[in-house]
Amino acid sequence: MNQSAPPTKAQSPIKALANNGMLLMFASVAFFATSNILVKLAGDTLSTPASIITTSRFAFGFLLAALLFRGKEKVSFKSLITNPWLISRGLIGGTGVYFYNECIINMDAGRTTVLISSYPIFAILLAPLFVNESIKKKQLGYCLLAFIGLIAMTSPSAFAHGVALWDGVAILVAIASGFVVVIIRKLHKTVNTSTIFISQCAYGLLFAAPQATRIDRLPELNAMMVVLGSSLLVILGQLAMTHGYKTVTVSKGSSISLLMPVLTTVASILIFGEKLAPFDLLGASLILFACFKISTDK
């Protein structure tokens, strides 16, 4: 009987990395934070439309997943139109990414990521309904604390930069993101990582690509290089996060992801000179603290 050859010394570390859910989640945080900064640079400083940024990301990701994944991780294209949970993941995740990019362009990158990073509140509240992960009474108190933080950040007295509409859009994206995390966790029981990932790319392209064709002129070469760099980083982050949730619970994964808005905010302050007003800082602190406690409380 033929037996598969044992992994070589070079393959073993790679295999260990691919199966280390915690390390993958930390890697995704670094990729996402860097990508956020590049999106801000491309969209705000270099005047690149969100539709171009989003289309580039999804086209790049679609090709990568379709061409590189083989064997057990081969994309099941049929599932993209037959599995209702994959369709939901694609539609919600794809449109969410577009509006995420719009928020980063139209608001401060740090403010955007803090508001959208409130998604663990919604992931924790939705998880018991779909993946049988229980929620404790103490966590409900932290949810209330996080909601107070959202109110502090979005109240008229705290708002001093931009149209309040984008705050609302960011919170809607957070709700959608929380639901997507729960869907990913549910899908991992029956669907491989590449198919879950490519569902967002496929349905996101259906939403963003038609809008990209309506722009008057293409961005400059330097802007497109930044967009491509952001696309590559966010794809690596998405793949790392999606595969990480295969072994990491919604609670633990969500807590690790809270490092992303912190890194993005610090980088935004240093690079773009962004600032947080006192109420913004208070609200951000309450949101991140509450989400951390929600995710880690035993």
Side-chain angles (χ1 to χ4, degrees), residues 4 9 14 33 48 58 71 82 104 115 117 124 133 136 155 188 190 200 217 224 262 276 295:
S4 58
K9 291 183 178 180
I14 296 175
T48 308
F58 288 145
T82 60
I104 287 181
L115 289 174
S117 291
I124 293 299
E133 293 184 10
K136 300 176 182 179
S155 63
H188 266 310
T190 56
Q200 177 176 269
R217 61 184 180 85
M224 286 307 302
V262 176
L276 286 175
S295 301

Side-chain angles (χ1 to χ4, degrees), residues 188-209:
H188 266 310
K189 297 177 181 178
T190 56
V191 182
N192 62 24
T193 298
S194 61
T195 304
I196 296 172
F197 169 75
I198 210 170
S199 66
Q200 177 176 269
C201 298
Y203 287 98
L205 277 173
L206 290 177
F207 180 80

Side-chain angles (χ1 to χ4, degrees), residues 225-237:
M225 294 299 292
V226 174
V227 169
L228 291 175
S230 171
S231 299
L232 177 59
L233 285 171
V234 82
I235 287 165
L236 292 174

Side-chain angles (χ1 to χ4, degrees), residues 40-93:
K40 183 66 175 178
L41 177 62
D44 191 10
T45 307
L46 301 176
S47 303
T48 308
S51 58
I52 290 289
I53 297 172
T54 309
T55 298
S56 172
R57 166 180 170 173
F58 288 145
F60 203 164
F62 189 97
L63 290 174
L64 184 69
L67 295 175
L68 297 185
F69 286 102
R70 292 291 183 268
K72 292 182 180 180
E73 288 298 325
K74 185 177 180 180
V75 177
S76 173
F77 289 99
K78 182 180 179 181
S79 298
L80 297 179
I81 57 175
T82 60
N83 188 322
W85 286 108
L86 271 176
I87 295 171
S88 298
R89 188 270 184 271
L91 289 173
I92 298 171

Side-chain angles (χ1 to χ4, degrees), residues 12-24 243-244 246-248:
S12 295
I14 296 175
K15 186 175 181 180
L17 174 62
N19 292 327
N20 191 325
M22 292 291 289
L23 189 58
L24 288 172
H243 198 67
K246 198 170 186 177
T247 55
V248 174

